[in-house]
Amino acid sequence: MLTREDFDTDLDRQRMHQLDASQTTRQLLRRSREQIAASISLLQQQVPKIWHPEPPER
């Protein structure tokens, strides 16, 4: 049977895991936002138009 002390220790451990998980989630979300911003910036750059001549008719 759990004692009050064991219960408090387990509760503290669970809270630390929750904090670690939420911190990891925040880091992953921040990295995703940075990657999306970089992709948007890249997609907004001008792309040179390349002319492809029609193949000769036979």
Side-chain angles (χ1 to χ4, degrees):
M1 181 169 226
L2 280 177
T3 65
R4 176 69 181 179
E5 196 172 292
D6 292 338
F7 178 79
D8 288 342
T9 302
D10 287 345
L11 188 60
D12 288 342
R13 187 177 298 119
Q14 288 176 3
R15 286 181 180 152
M16 289 303 296
H17 285 303
Q18 286 176 345
L19 288 174
D20 289 344
S22 66
Q23 183 178 8
T24 301
T25 301
R26 281 194 300 272
Q27 289 172 346
L28 290 172
L29 286 172
R30 180 182 47 79
R31 188 170 19 165
S32 293
R33 284 191 298 268
E34 290 171 355
Q35 290 172 340
I36 289 170
S39 295
I40 289 171
S41 174
L42 185 63
L43 289 169
Q44 290 176 342
Q45 292 180 5
Q46 292 292 333
V47 177
K49 293 181 181 177
I50 300 174
W51 177 72
H52 293 283
E54 295 296 322
E57 291 186 28
R58 294 183 180 174

